[in-house]
Amino acid sequence: HEQFSTVFAVEHAVSSELLSSPFGEHSRTFHGIHDINTFWGWLDESLLKTIVIQEDSLGHTIPESEWGFFAQYDRLVGGVRMTQHRTIQQKCPYGPLRQQIFYCYPSKHHDVKPFGLPMCNNETEDVTQVVFGQVIHNASECYHPEDYVGYVNIGADEGFSKSSLTDKFTFWLDTDGDQDTIKKRVEYLIERQWIDRQTSSIDIEIDFYNGQLEPVLCTVLLKVHISRVGVFKPEIVTATVPVDPYHTNFGGKIFLEVVFLLFMLHFSWREWEDIRHQAQESGSVGEALKYHYITGKNTFGNMVDFIMIAGGFALYALWILGAFRLGFVREDLVNLGTHRPNATRLFSQDSRHYSEWKHYDEEIQSFSEDLSEAIYDWEVARALAASLVFVIVFRIFKLCNEVHALRNITMTVSMAMSKLVAFGLIVALLVAIFAGAGLLAYGPELEEFHTYPEAIITTLVVMSTGDDTVYNKMFEVDPILSSFWHWLLITIVWLVGLKIILCILVDAYAEAQERLKKEEEEEEMEQIEKNSSFTSGQPKNGKTGQILDPFQDGWQAQENQPVRERPTLSETQMKRISELKQKRQTVQAEQSTGEMPQQSRYSSTSVPNQGVHQGGESQVKERNSWGHPPRNSTRRSSSGQLALARQFSNMSAATSASPSPGPEPEF
């Protein structure tokens, strides 16, 4: 739905042009702003000269229809919108020089009161200064409003009181107007001291439309943060959205959306079917949900499925909402192109065309708000889509667990996860310690350690990449401490930590191999039992059909007793059963010679209790030498898993104890 190559090309062209335009004697750029004077110099000599192009390279005036273009193909929409954020002014609450400093400006408290120099009267002393080659009167005490009649809405105190449209301190520069008007409006801001000690940040927003490849709208936000230590921090943020996401390949995009929606519905239905079956067994939906996502066997995989379903539907909803927002943006674009007044822009309320221009300003503000909301929805959808990619990775991990050839890998990771998490906590503690040491030692001198979050990021970068760029800066400050900090961190991570991770994985791999081997043997035994001719998993009387207990009656038929039915097994199955019997005997022999007097659950010396058979079900219990029943000792007779295994063990014990063993029982 979005051509990222187009988005990147537009954003790169716009940001490069804005950031590379020089100003001043030293050819500074946007990132060279460091005080109020350099900010106004950049605004007039760099920004406005770059985006307000009304003359060609020979100095000839170009037609007005060509005004408002940037970088040849990008059309400016809505001009330049400048917004200021202000903090309150209050008496300093502490400090020995509280009376001498008088006022402080805490950045956490915002101010909403009007500001700026007042109008001059006849009694005010005339003080002048030169700005951009022109004389500005009384710049330090007051201003003359008559100098800006028709250029600024003086009656509304434009720029120095909260705007009725934005409820912010907003000032607008019409890039489609003539250059003299734009320059006069900037001089008005300078003379009335639009930037003062209460200014905390300045936002300059510019919107560009490019319809050459795919119609897109690019918003550029030039931010200048002013810290309370006098540092100016310029920052540029760009965001681009398609004007019409269905402009090209309409049918293909609709098809992909339908397929995605059907996939999510199918996935949701399967999840609901699992919960419904569990609810039928437990008798409660709440218990079924608790077992499915919290206390069950595969809670992690089920939770991954739930997150994937919820995230998929949320992504689809955000997409629909963003498409509707973009529809409003397209409508605003059409209105801005057709509703612009043809009369010369005069900002006086007494002007005959004042109401027309006011309505046009309202449409610009509506366009800006709709575009901001559309960009927000679009960015949230992108972030959610990127997050779902990681969820899909976990989902693939769950699917790999169902593939026999890949179960070894997934089981290794699962069994090593607890140890890796514990080791990760140790690594996090290690990062916190080294970051704290870097903050204390190099925080005042290096930007990489001037805050604790920055110190943590720097420590992680050095730890994961071994980059020596930061080390060279640290070495200039303190050679001894920097060498100790850097090389100790590298040694712990690369020579010790990496080997610990490999040992954890190798140990988990061996354990997973052993567990998989046991599971394969159990599955093989179950398959042999299923292929037998037992209908209920137990031998039956040939005449009456009554189920007999093998532990009570034995396997050999006695005189005057009916012959019982026996399962029919192939030669291969008999051979495999013999191998399993020998393996169990070997395990029993090893356990009998060990220090722990505990026998295998298949041991021939274990004394089984009498089985109780009701409705084709059997519950058989046995106790080991410690007097405790082994785990998983209760099985259904329909499968006959444990009963058949015990029968083999008992037969082996009987034949080995007899001085003249008889023939092998026929299975």
Side-chain angles (χ1 to χ4, degrees):
H1 289 75
E2 187 175 11
Q3 298 293 330
F4 289 103
S5 58
T6 303
V7 172
F8 172 79
V10 171
E11 292 186 358
H12 179 71
V14 170
S15 58
S16 299
E17 189 72 17
L18 292 175
L19 296 179
S20 61
S21 180
F23 72 95
E25 298 179 356
H26 303 285
S27 298
R28 293 188 177 94
T29 59
F30 173 69
H31 290 291
I33 297 175
H34 59 85
D35 57 15
I36 297 177
N37 292 332
T38 53
F39 173 81
W40 292 121
W42 166 80
L43 181 67
D44 179 71
E45 300 178 19
S46 177
L47 179 63
L48 295 181
K49 286 186 177 180
T50 302
I51 64 176
V52 183
I53 301 176
Q54 299 178 359
E55 296 179 351
D56 57 17
S57 58
L58 299 177
H60 302 152
T61 303
I62 61 178
E64 291 189 11
S65 59
E66 297 294 327
W67 292 3
F69 279 92
F70 176 79
Q72 295 293 329
Y73 302 105
D74 299 320
R75 183 70 169 85
L76 274 74
V77 181
V80 178
R81 296 179 296 279
M82 303 172 60
T83 303
Q84 178 182 162
H85 302 277
R86 300 179 58 79
T87 60
I88 63 173
Q89 174 182 279
Q90 64 180 20
K91 290 186 177 181
C92 296
Y94 51 85
L97 300 179
R98 179 175 54 184
Q99 301 300 328
Q100 288 75 14
I101 298 177
F102 297 110
Y103 293 107
C104 291
Y105 308 90
S107 57
K108 296 182 179 180
H109 303 283
H110 299 285
D111 190 17
V112 296
K113 299 178 182 178
F115 65 100
L117 296 181
M119 298 182 184
C120 292
N121 52 44
N122 296 330
E123 298 178 357
T124 305
E125 182 181 358
D126 189 12
V127 180
T128 62
Q129 71 175 11
V130 177
V131 178
F132 303 149
Q134 297 186 9
V135 176
I136 297 181
H137 299 276
N138 304 317
S140 59
E141 298 180 2
C142 62
Y143 82 101
H144 288 269
E146 60 272 13
D147 295 339
Y148 307 102
V149 174
Y151 299 103
V152 180
N153 191 348
I154 298 176
D157 200 21
E158 183 182 6
F160 294 86
S161 295
K162 279 199 168 184
S163 172
S164 58
L165 298 177
T166 64
D167 197 31
K168 300 177 182 178
F169 298 104
T170 304
F171 197 80
W172 180 51
L173 299 177
D174 185 9
T175 54
D176 290 330
D178 60 275
Q179 291 182 342
D180 293 336
T181 301
I182 297 174
K183 182 170 291 189
K184 202 70 175 177
R185 288 174 64 80
V186 173
E187 292 175 0
Y188 166 76
L189 295 179
I190 297 175
E191 182 173 356
R192 288 200 64 185
Q193 297 183 5
W194 194 63
I195 303 177
D196 56 14
R197 288 190 176 92
Q198 291 181 248
T199 304
S200 60
S201 65
I202 302 170
D203 298 342
I204 301 177
E205 183 179 352
I206 312 172
D207 299 325
F208 301 93
Y209 171 78
N210 187 298
Q212 302 299 318
L213 300 177
E214 180 183 4
V216 295
L217 276 168
C218 177
T219 296
V220 179
L221 184 62
L222 300 165
K223 300 175 67 71
V224 179
H225 301 275
I226 305 176
S227 67
R228 287 300 169 257
V229 294
V231 177
F232 282 59
K233 293 184 177 181
E235 178 187 2
I236 182 171
V237 179
T238 58
T240 304
V241 294
V243 177
D244 185 3
Y246 300 98
H247 178 71
T248 57
N249 196 14
F250 176 80
K253 293 177 180 178
I254 293 296
F255 174 76
L256 290 177
E257 292 181 12
V258 172
V259 171
F260 176 79
L261 183 59
L262 292 177
F263 172 77
M264 297 306 303
L265 291 174
H266 173 72
F267 208 61
S268 303
W269 175 254
R270 290 185 56 186
E271 191 75 6
W272 168 247
E273 283 294 311
D274 294 342
I275 297 175
R276 186 173 64 85
H277 288 309
Q278 293 173 1
Q280 291 177 353
E281 295 179 359
S282 61
S284 172
V285 178
E287 291 295 330
L289 291 174
K290 181 179 179 181
Y291 177 81
H292 194 70
Y293 294 113
I294 300 177
T295 61
K297 296 182 179 179
N298 192 20
T299 56
F300 177 77
N302 296 334
M303 187 59 67
V304 169
D305 293 342
F306 174 79
I307 295 175
M308 186 174 180
I309 293 171
F313 282 112
L315 178 62
Y316 196 81
L318 281 174
W319 170 258
I320 298 299
L321 180 60
F324 276 105
R325 300 274 195 197
L326 291 176
F328 298 146
V329 172
R330 290 194 298 272
E331 184 179 353
D332 295 335
L333 274 176
V334 174
N335 294 334
L336 290 178
T338 57
H339 295 175
R340 179 180 175 86
N342 295 324
T344 304
R345 179 68 181 258
L346 294 176
F347 292 89
S348 174
Q349 296 182 3
D350 299 333
S351 174
R352 180 177 57 180
H353 303 286
Y354 177 77
S355 59
E356 298 178 7
W357 283 105
K358 183 178 180 181
H359 179 68
Y360 184 69
D361 293 343
E362 293 174 352
E363 291 183 346
I364 291 178
Q365 182 59 33
S366 176
F367 164 77
S368 177
E369 293 176 354
D370 291 340
L371 180 59
S372 299
E373 293 175 353
I375 289 175
Y376 177 79
D377 295 338
W378 209 260
E379 290 181 345
V380 172
R382 286 175 180 168
L384 181 58
S387 302
L388 286 179
V389 172
F390 296 99
V391 179
I392 293 174
V393 171
F394 287 109
R395 175 62 184 171
I396 295 175
F397 185 81
K398 178 183 176 181
L399 292 176
C400 291
N401 194 42
E402 305 298 331
V403 181
H404 187 272
L406 300 177
R407 287 185 65 188
N408 195 2
I409 299 176
T410 57
M411 187 174 290
T412 300
V413 176
S414 300
M415 298 178 68
M417 189 58 64
S418 60
K419 296 180 181 179
L420 290 176
V421 170
F423 181 72
L425 295 177
I426 298 177
V427 173
L429 180 61
L430 183 69
V431 171
I433 294 174
F434 274 81
L439 176 66
L440 294 174
Y442 306 102
E445 289 84 7
L446 300 180
E447 184 179 1
E448 290 81 358
F449 292 96
H450 76 286
T451 62
Y452 193 65
E454 289 288 341
I456 290 178
I457 294 175
T458 303
T459 304
L460 289 174
V461 171
V462 174
M463 181 181 67
S464 58
T465 64
D467 185 21
D468 60 351
T469 303
V470 178
Y471 170 67
N472 295 331
K473 297 180 180 179
M474 297 167 61
F475 190 85
E476 295 177 357
V477 177
D478 191 334
I480 299 177
L481 184 59
S482 63
S483 300
F484 180 79
W485 186 95
H486 181 83
W487 294 113
L488 180 61
L489 179 62
I490 296 298
T491 302
I492 293 176
V493 172
W494 289 95
L495 299 182
V496 179
L498 186 60
K499 290 181 174 58
I500 293 176
I501 295 176
L502 292 176
C503 291
I504 292 174
L505 293 177
V506 170
D507 183 59
Y509 180 81
E511 189 176 353
Q513 286 279 74
E514 183 179 356
R515 180 177 296 184
L516 283 175
K517 190 174 181 180
K518 292 180 179 179
E519 290 181 358
E520 290 176 357
E521 293 179 356
E522 293 180 359
E523 291 175 359
E524 187 176 3
M525 180 63 72
E526 291 178 1
Q527 187 65 29
I528 294 175
E529 294 177 11
K530 290 180 180 179
N531 294 335
S532 67
S533 59
F534 275 134
T535 57
S536 62
Q538 296 289 347
K540 298 186 298 181
N541 190 303
K543 294 182 178 179
T544 63
Q546 181 182 3
I547 298 177
L548 301 178
D549 190 348
F551 294 104
Q552 181 178 1
D553 299 334
W555 282 98
Q556 295 183 358
Q558 304 296 330
E559 295 182 359
N560 301 327
Q561 290 186 358
V563 179
R564 294 168 292 179
E565 296 178 356
R566 293 177 174 82
T568 302
L569 301 177
S570 64
E571 182 179 355
T572 305
Q573 292 174 335
M574 291 295 298
K575 184 177 180 181
R576 181 55 182 166
I577 289 174
S578 178
E579 293 176 356
L580 293 176
K581 287 167 55 180
Q582 294 177 1
K583 183 177 295 186
R584 292 194 184 100
Q585 291 175 359
T586 304
V587 172
Q588 293 169 8
E590 292 176 354
Q591 291 182 350
S592 63
T593 57
E595 297 180 0
M596 182 69 70
Q598 184 175 357
Q599 300 177 2
S600 171
R601 63 176 182 176
Y602 301 121
S603 173
S604 60
T605 60
S606 60
V607 181
N609 294 330
Q610 182 176 355
V612 180
H613 308 282
Q614 294 180 356
E617 295 185 358
S618 174
Q619 184 177 5
V620 182
K621 299 181 180 179
E622 68 173 346
R623 296 183 178 272
N624 54 26
S625 60
W626 292 94
H628 300 288
R631 297 189 302 174
N632 301 328
S633 60
T634 302
R635 301 292 175 90
R636 292 184 178 271
S637 61
S638 59
S639 62
Q641 300 170 3
L642 187 58
L644 189 59
R646 288 172 180 162
Q647 293 166 8
F648 296 148
S649 300
N650 291 336
M651 287 188 298
S652 301
T655 55
S656 61
S658 176
S660 58
E664 185 77 5
E666 186 177 4
F667 270 78

